[in-house]
Amino acid sequence: MKKLRPFLFLACLFMMGLISFDTPVQESVQIKNILGKLLLYSKNERPEKTYLLTDKDFYTNGETIWFKTYLVDGIDHKASNKSKVVHVELVGPDGQVVERRKQFAMGPGAEGEIRLDQELEQGEYTLRAYTKYMLNEDEPILFEKNIHIWMQSMTTSDFPENSQNLGNSKENGEGDASEQASRTIVRFFPEGGQLVYGMATKLGIEVTDGLGNGLAARGSILDGEGNIVTDFNSGEFGLGMVNLKPLPGKTYYARLNGESYNNEFELPKAINEGYLLNVTDRGEYILVQVATNLSDGLQGALLLGHLRGEVFLKQVVNGYGTKEHAVKIYPEQLKEGVAQFTLFTAKGEPVSERLFFVENPDQRASLSMDTDRKSYGTRDRIQIDLALADSEGNSLEGEFSMSVVSDNSLTSEYSRDIRSWLLLDSDVGATVPDAGYFFKDASQDRKQLLDALMLTHGWRRFEWQELLRQKTSKKLRFPPEKGITISGRTVSFHDNEKPRQSVASLTLMGEDLIYEKDSTDIDGRFSFGNFYFQDSLDAILQAESISKKPRSIDFILDSTHPMNLPAARKNSTKISKVVKPDNDYLLNAYKKKVADFKYDPKEVTQLDEVVVTEKKKTRKELINEAYNTMFSSSPFSRRVYRDSIFGGVSLSAMDLLARISGVWVTGTYPFQQIKLPGGPKSMNAGSIPGVMVDGVWSDITYLQGLRAIEVSFMDVNWADTTIFGSQGGAGVISIYTEKGLTFDEIPEKYPGIKDFKIPGFNKVREFYTPNYSLDKKEHEKPDYRSTLFWEPNIMLKKEGDNKLEFFTGDNPGRYLIKMEGLTNDGIPVSHTVEIEVDSSN
């Protein structure tokens, strides 16, 4: 027993360090500043999050994308009390916006649809959803979902003779992608951010190809003399972890096994003195340990933990010379999601941090979908009973959406869902293509992979240094939108650069006449709203000068869409991989198109073949024809036409250029600056692009003072500018003015009045669901729908009859009933059940 006493004494000392996270904090001025700034963030600067659910993942030209957008508070995931307007955009393979939808969120969500054009280009598209308020962040985390649209060419026969008509398989850039994919990249991430000589720590591992796809690999870590220190391996998504204790004076590198992995990869360099932060899941509790090898130890250091901005741990280390400190965290007292642990010195400097995913089954809700059968016949009735409950079985309420689709309409069973987005990706950025994998089971392997994911990613919502520098709340560039607003400036009719203070009024010509009147500020700024209406309304603006001397007034309207929004770029984030649907999906989509031609002549009319000998030229064709005979230029990287931009006549020329993917414009007119992509001599390296006006060299100051109304179109060249000589080293902007040529009728302007159309919120069609229990003529049409049922607004109640019913179609096979949504308390829920449709039933 005497031999055990020293051990027991040390054990008691260690356990004294394992104090709970509600211990009072001895707050210094620096600590009060840290806690105060985080409180300010959670109170006044709460972020917003959006999530977009589509009925399926694949589409062909002519089909409709049915979707539901959820808009929630970024901390508690309840309906946002800031914005009410959500912008949804379909971005094409070239980064240009193809379709826009403006939605009004009555609660946590809003339904929408995008009908795809028959002539839409085949390729990988991106759906994104955001609010203007989200754009106040330096690097906003916007929800993006990759979808692939396949082009099908109709023939005069019922079925195509070859698979090319079902969906073309050739994609641009396959060679470049193959070359990138052949690269292997290995990265190591020390836990807490540092490798310190003589102190053991964990390393997160990420092995990917050049496109960011995870690779399973094995390898070894070696020291500078070539001695193997330890082995490691990466599993699913290329993730793994390994322990390492760097020795003083040693350097380390990694080498992958196998002939295809013959590259060497350096590890982060270790430092002589520093801090470690270790977080370990011990099952019943989470153990958080901090340590240092500095002489004064951890005296006065703050260990802080927050989850989405809400503090759950604030503890000061007492005792001069203390080198180690530990604390237990009990997850049943926390919400689920990404927690950030940060160690601050006594001076308030963040020196070590670590993300950890908190799992708490008691915080979850369960959704049951009980079908009356598991197998059905064609055109058979399906009935579903729905129930929503907490972990103890108590009934809950919430708002949900449901899609019923063929199983080959989805890319993966582990694709991102509302849980993986709100609890994981929305706080750390897009992680892996199939983030739903981390939420499917409670296996130890899955938990270890999730922890490896946390080691290889950082907190994205704010940076501590920037947050601590703020003296007050951020000034918002984009206030939350509550409805439709009409804003702009009143200026001199003869000089649009001179503001005119005035009394402005707005009249909206809807079913009910809306009239508002107000004085502008000294800069002529006015704003009317917030309005709610669908489609478009005629609007009239009027203004009278408030000065004694009568003055003629003109209007410059603000754009109705956010400016300078970064273009969606392929492979810039790890979002859904492109997987081609099987031929059954494409064949059924084609058969549906044939049936629409035969049975829905009002919707689509198939014409006999005709020969077109001449057609009226579009304005764009007239412009190209006129200017191609007058000027010559190199092949342009991008071209923008003034009349292709909504409200373009009220913008500056720089504003037009900002709509080009890859081009960045900052500042306000007439002091705007421009950056072109690519090249060491680009604006990114401090160079100014060359400017040509109607084929003659000019300078950037001319472009800065140019209004969009003076421009016909502009070319931006950055890919190959060698024919321009040294003046084209940083890219070239070629401006083509109207030159007295007109291709449109320009409406006559009158001082003090402006009439225009203002777009409203998008009106959504009702999803067609046939009722085959009734005998109708329309049921003679074959039913080849891949989406059998879509209901974006399911309100589950604690009491009442939560039932749904719909009918199968004519395609046998496996179908998935997928339901996603939020409880009223902000708990995200996703659930899928499977049914079978058998034509023999």
Side-chain angles (χ1 to χ4, degrees):
M1 288 295 293
K2 291 182 179 179
K3 293 182 179 180
L4 291 176
R5 286 176 182 173
F7 173 80
L8 292 174
F9 177 73
L10 292 174
C12 290
L13 287 178
F14 178 72
M15 291 303 294
M16 288 175 66
L18 299 178
I19 49 182
S20 65
F21 54 83
D22 58 356
T23 300
V25 177
Q26 298 176 11
E27 296 182 355
S28 65
V29 173
Q30 291 83 0
I31 292 174
K32 287 181 179 179
N33 179 52
I34 294 168
L35 298 174
K37 292 298 174 62
L38 195 54
L39 179 63
L40 185 69
Y41 170 83
S42 63
K43 293 291 184 182
N44 300 337
E45 299 177 8
R46 299 170 74 95
E48 290 181 324
K49 296 179 181 179
T50 55
Y51 174 76
L52 194 147
L53 171 67
T54 58
D55 62 318
K56 53 187 179 180
D57 297 336
F58 299 122
Y59 297 90
T60 64
N61 54 313
E63 290 189 312
T64 297
I65 301 174
W66 301 93
F67 63 88
K68 172 72 172 280
T69 307
Y70 289 87
L71 168 61
V72 299
D73 177 272
I75 294 178
D76 61 23
H77 295 161
K78 297 179 183 179
S80 175
N81 61 4
K82 293 182 182 290
S83 301
K84 294 298 178 187
V85 180
V86 185
H87 299 269
V88 176
E89 295 174 342
L90 178 65
V91 183
D94 60 354
Q96 298 297 307
V97 176
V98 177
E99 295 282 351
R100 283 190 173 94
R101 297 291 184 268
K102 184 185 290 187
Q103 298 176 280
F104 186 79
M106 297 290 290
E111 61 179 307
E113 59 162 320
I114 296 176
R115 191 165 189 174
L116 301 174
D117 192 274
Q118 290 285 356
E119 303 301 320
L120 202 63
E121 177 186 357
Q122 176 169 300
E124 183 182 346
Y125 288 70
T126 302
L127 267 176
R128 64 182 174 202
Y130 61 93
T131 64
K132 280 190 178 181
Y133 174 78
M134 293 168 63
L135 304 183
N136 290 298
E137 298 182 24
D138 293 333
E139 295 185 10
I141 303 177
L142 308 184
F143 178 86
E144 293 185 343
K145 176 179 181 177
N146 278 5
I147 61 171
H148 207 91
I149 298 174
W150 298 89
M151 181 69 181
Q152 293 185 323
S153 304
M154 297 297 294
T155 67
T156 54
S157 61
D158 281 1
F159 301 103
E161 296 180 358
N162 58 69
S163 62
Q164 290 297 310
N165 288 330
L166 291 178
N168 300 323
S169 59
K170 186 177 180 181
E171 296 294 329
N172 294 328
E174 289 180 355
D176 294 338
S178 177
E179 184 177 344
Q180 281 185 277
S182 65
R183 296 175 55 213
T184 302
I185 301 170
V186 182
R187 297 196 295 169
F188 294 87
F189 302 83
E191 184 176 23
Q194 298 175 334
L195 273 180
V196 183
Y197 283 125
M199 302 181 73
T201 188
K202 282 187 288 192
L203 287 170
I205 304 169
E206 185 181 57
V207 184
T208 66
D209 63 17
L211 297 176
N213 302 308
L215 300 174
R218 293 183 177 273
S220 301
I221 294 177
L222 303 90
D223 62 20
E225 287 76 39
N227 302 310
I228 294 178
V229 178
T230 185
D231 296 324
F232 68 87
N233 67 280
S234 64
E236 194 79 24
F237 311 117
L239 297 171
M241 64 176 71
V242 67
N243 294 316
L244 179 69
K245 183 178 181 179
L247 299 179
K250 295 277 190 180
T251 59
Y252 299 89
Y253 66 94
R255 180 183 294 160
L256 293 177
N257 300 340
E259 295 181 0
S260 59
Y261 302 129
N262 54 9
N263 294 328
E264 295 179 351
F265 306 91
E266 286 189 4
L267 268 67
K269 288 182 170 55
I271 58 178
N272 292 319
E273 294 182 324
Y275 300 86
L276 295 184
L277 192 164
N278 173 257
V279 184
T280 308
D281 184 359
R282 292 293 176 85
E284 182 183 352
Y285 59 86
I286 300 164
L287 181 63
V288 183
Q289 303 172 89
V290 291
T292 185
N293 61 357
L294 273 68
S295 58
D296 56 354
L298 297 167
Q299 168 65 22
L302 169 66
L303 181 58
L304 180 68
H306 75 88
L307 200 152
R308 296 194 290 271
E310 293 187 336
V311 175
F312 62 83
L313 168 66
K314 49 180 181 178
Q315 191 173 107
V316 173
V317 181
N318 295 317
Y320 182 79
T322 301
K323 298 294 181 72
E324 297 180 353
H325 184 74
V327 60
K328 287 180 179 178
I329 306 293
Y330 293 91
E332 63 265 21
Q333 301 178 33
L334 303 178
K335 296 179 180 178
E336 288 198 301
V338 178
Q340 182 188 36
F341 294 95
T342 308
L343 178 66
F344 294 86
T345 66
K347 295 181 181 180
E349 300 171 346
V351 290
S352 190
E353 69 178 33
R354 160 82 143 95
L355 298 188
F356 185 85
F357 193 87
V358 177
E359 298 189 69
N360 184 358
D362 292 338
Q363 285 283 329
R364 297 173 191 165
S366 61
L367 177 66
S368 64
M369 297 187 290
D370 295 326
T371 57
D372 53 337
R373 284 177 283 155
K374 293 298 180 184
S375 180
Y376 298 87
T378 56
R379 302 200 176 194
D380 203 354
R381 185 197 304 269
I382 298 176
Q383 294 180 320
I384 306 177
D385 288 320
L386 306 172
L388 182 66
D390 63 16
S391 59
E392 297 180 353
N394 301 311
S395 296
L396 297 174
E397 297 186 340
E399 182 172 329
F400 289 80
S401 306
M402 177 189 287
S403 64
V404 182
V405 297
S406 58
D407 68 332
N408 55 17
S409 298
L410 304 176
T411 55
S412 168
E413 63 175 316
Y414 297 130
S415 59
R416 176 193 293 158
D417 59 21
I418 194 168
R419 284 196 70 208
S420 64
W421 173 253
L422 289 183
L423 299 182
L424 177 62
D425 284 0
S426 62
D427 288 322
V428 300
T431 53
V432 297
D434 299 326
Y437 174 88
F438 298 113
F439 297 85
K440 292 300 181 184
D441 61 60
S443 68
Q444 193 61 33
D445 289 344
R446 195 263 317 162
K447 286 187 176 182
Q448 288 181 350
L449 275 179
L450 182 54
D451 199 36
L453 184 74
M454 294 292 96
L455 286 170
T456 57
H457 285 74
W459 180 254
R460 285 281 306 276
R461 284 294 168 187
F462 58 78
E463 293 184 3
W464 278 114
Q465 296 289 7
E466 181 184 347
L467 189 69
L468 297 179
R469 282 196 301 266
Q470 285 180 216
K471 294 184 179 180
T472 58
S473 296
K474 285 183 180 180
K475 184 178 180 181
L476 299 180
R477 294 176 298 156
F478 301 100
E481 289 183 286
K482 302 292 186 180
I484 296 172
T485 60
I486 296 95
S487 61
R489 295 182 295 133
T490 51
V491 296
S492 169
F493 187 78
H494 303 290
D495 184 353
N496 283 178
E497 297 313 308
K498 290 184 178 179
R500 288 284 183 259
Q501 196 171 3
S502 65
V503 175
S505 64
L506 171 73
T507 304
L508 292 179
M509 317 293 287
E511 291 184 5
D512 298 317
L513 193 68
I514 299 174
Y515 178 80
E516 288 193 6
K517 186 175 184 179
D518 199 5
S519 298
T520 69
D521 64 15
I522 193 171
D523 296 319
R525 294 288 313 174
F526 63 86
S527 180
F528 297 105
N530 299 290
F531 305 114
Y532 174 83
F533 55 86
Q534 294 180 319
D535 298 327
S536 296
L537 290 183
D538 291 318
I540 300 174
L541 275 172
Q542 293 178 278
E544 297 179 359
S545 174
I546 65 171
S547 65
K548 295 181 180 179
K549 182 179 179 180
R551 298 180 185 274
S552 297
I553 293 177
D554 198 3
F555 297 90
I556 296 179
L557 294 177
D558 294 335
S559 172
T560 58
H561 299 293
M563 299 294 293
N564 301 336
L565 184 63
R569 288 168 288 184
K570 287 186 356 185
N571 304 317
S572 61
T573 55
K574 300 170 192 172
I575 49 184
S576 309
K577 294 179 290 187
V578 175
V579 181
K580 183 177 180 179
D582 57 34
N583 278 341
D584 285 343
Y585 174 88
L586 295 174
L587 179 60
N588 288 331
Y590 188 89
K591 288 160 67 177
K592 184 177 185 304
K593 287 182 172 67
V594 172
D596 288 341
F597 274 126
K598 289 184 175 181
Y599 292 90
D600 293 332
K602 294 180 181 179
E603 290 287 330
V604 184
T605 303
Q606 187 173 17
L607 302 176
D608 294 333
E609 183 178 353
V610 295
V611 178
V612 179
T613 57
E614 188 173 356
K615 65 176 183 178
K616 183 179 180 180
K617 294 179 180 178
T618 65
R619 183 178 190 275
K620 189 177 292 187
E621 290 171 333
L622 291 171
I623 290 174
N624 289 338
E625 184 179 285
Y627 283 102
N628 286 341
T629 60
M630 296 163 55
F631 308 111
S632 62
S633 83
S634 70
F636 55 87
S637 301
R638 291 287 190 273
R639 171 173 286 181
V640 60
Y641 297 87
R642 185 202 71 217
D643 62 339
S644 67
I645 305 299
F646 179 81
V649 294
S650 65
L651 305 176
S652 71
M654 287 278 207
D655 291 336
L656 294 185
L657 292 170
R659 298 304 180 92
I660 297 177
S661 175
V663 174
W664 287 85
V665 174
T666 58
T668 56
Y669 179 87
F671 305 108
Q672 292 168 293
Q673 300 294 327
I674 190 166
K675 295 182 181 182
L676 301 186
K681 296 183 180 179
S682 72
M683 190 61 189
N684 293 318
S687 300
I688 298 175
V691 176
M692 295 184 71
V693 182
D694 294 335
V696 179
W697 285 108
S698 183
D699 57 33
I700 196 70
T701 56
Y702 179 87
L703 175 59
Q704 288 173 324
L706 198 63
R707 302 298 304 183
I709 192 67
E710 303 174 80
V711 174
S712 180
F713 68 95
M714 289 182 284
D715 291 342
V716 180
N717 308 64
W718 65 73
D720 182 9
T721 59
T722 55
I723 70 168
F724 295 106
S726 60
Q727 288 179 284
V732 177
I733 299 170
S734 302
I735 304 166
Y736 299 100
T737 63
E738 290 288 355
K739 297 287 290 185
L741 300 175
T742 58
F743 302 97
D744 293 318
E745 287 188 18
I746 301 176
E748 190 173 354
K749 295 174 64 176
Y750 298 95
I753 189 168
K754 181 181 183 67
D755 62 306
F756 59 100
K757 279 191 177 292
I758 183 73
F761 294 106
N762 295 97
K763 194 171 184 179
V764 183
R765 292 176 298 149
E766 183 178 355
F767 181 85
Y768 172 69
T769 305
N771 182 355
Y772 289 127
S773 64
L774 303 176
D775 187 14
K776 292 184 177 181
K777 178 71 174 177
E778 63 192 62
H779 294 165
E780 295 177 2
K781 174 183 173 181
D783 187 351
Y784 299 120
R785 293 170 298 140
S786 58
T787 301
L788 296 180
F789 184 70
W790 168 253
E791 177 49 68
N793 301 309
I794 301 174
M795 306 299 175
L796 295 182
K797 300 297 183 182
K798 290 182 179 180
E799 299 178 0
D801 191 17
N802 294 318
K803 292 180 180 291
L804 289 173
E805 68 173 43
F806 55 91
F807 287 81
T808 63
D810 292 334
N811 288 326
R814 192 168 71 111
Y815 286 80
L816 300 178
I817 304 175
K818 187 172 183 179
M819 194 165 173
E820 295 189 52
L822 290 162
T823 69
N824 289 352
D825 292 328
I827 301 174
V829 184
S830 178
H831 188 50
T832 302
V833 298
E834 178 184 326
I835 59 171
E836 191 77 24
V837 175
D838 189 345
S839 58
S840 63
N841 282 358

